Amino acid sequence: MFLKVLNKEQKENFLELAYLLARCGYHFEEPEETMLQEFRYEMHLDENNYTIAGKELDEILKIFENCQMKIKLSVFIELIALVLCDSEYDKKEKEVISIIKERFGISEQKCTEVIDWVTELRNIYKKGEEILINL
């Protein structure tokens, strides 16, 4: 949703970060895979356009260090959506998000605001799905 503000290098590194985050948790299931494909679609980076290199977290985060806060928050919001998509925000995911939050200079208050907003948005989408199912 917010990835259009990224340039090509940032998009590729966001994808690296998203894959790293999705695979760091205890479960990697269909919701995460679906979101990763949605990210690729939004950024026009299918498997033919970009192959995951398996970069290290520190290497990826260095790309975003000098970016505007708008870029950092856009990336952060999408990553929060990724970790919450399966309703299991586990310890490893929290650790990685904490590192990203710190490196991006995002306050605890802003982090909570993002998590609350993404959670609310997920609930709204679920309600929309219920409406469609119960026609």
Side-chain angles (χ1 to χ4, degrees):
M1 182 177 354
F2 298 107
L3 301 174
K4 63 184 171 214
V5 299
L6 306 181
N7 65 32
K8 186 176 186 325
E9 179 186 34
Q10 292 164 345
K11 287 177 181 179
E12 291 171 353
N13 281 282
F14 167 79
L15 207 52
E16 290 283 343
L17 190 52
Y19 271 79
L20 183 148
L21 186 58
R23 287 181 166 74
C24 82
Y26 299 116
H27 305 284
F28 179 71
E29 297 175 359
E30 189 268 332
E32 290 97 346
E33 185 61 40
T34 299
M35 281 211 69
L36 293 171
Q37 292 308 314
E38 288 173 5
F39 291 153
R40 282 184 172 278
Y41 178 78
E42 181 179 348
M43 296 186 297
H44 306 288
L45 289 176
D46 65 22
E47 284 82 2
N48 296 323
N49 295 331
Y50 185 76
T51 303
I52 297 300
K55 295 179 180 181
E56 296 292 322
L57 181 60
D58 190 59
E59 179 184 1
I60 300 166
L61 294 179
K62 284 182 182 177
I63 301 299
F64 294 102
E65 278 182 348
N66 296 318
C67 292
Q68 298 172 339
M69 185 53 78
K70 179 179 180 176
I71 299 292
K72 293 176 184 177
L73 277 173
S74 297
V75 166
F76 191 74
I77 288 169
E78 298 290 359
L79 294 175
I80 293 295
L82 176 63
V83 296
L84 296 179
C85 75
D86 63 356
S87 302
E88 294 182 31
Y89 188 26
D90 64 46
K91 183 179 176 181
K92 289 293 283 179
E93 291 170 332
K94 287 178 182 177
E95 288 173 8
V96 175
I97 287 294
S98 180
I99 291 167
I100 295 167
K101 177 181 66 116
E102 184 179 310
R103 292 281 296 273
F104 281 11
I106 296 171
S107 69
E108 191 62 43
Q109 179 182 353
K110 183 62 75 176
C111 180
T112 300
E113 182 181 346
V114 169
I115 290 171
D116 290 348
W117 180 77
V118 169
T119 301
E120 186 176 329
L121 188 59
R122 286 187 68 238
N123 291 335
I124 290 169
Y125 273 106
K126 282 182 186 178
K127 181 63 177 172
E129 290 172 353
E130 290 172 12
I131 292 168
L132 290 172
I133 291 171
N134 296 319
L135 287 176

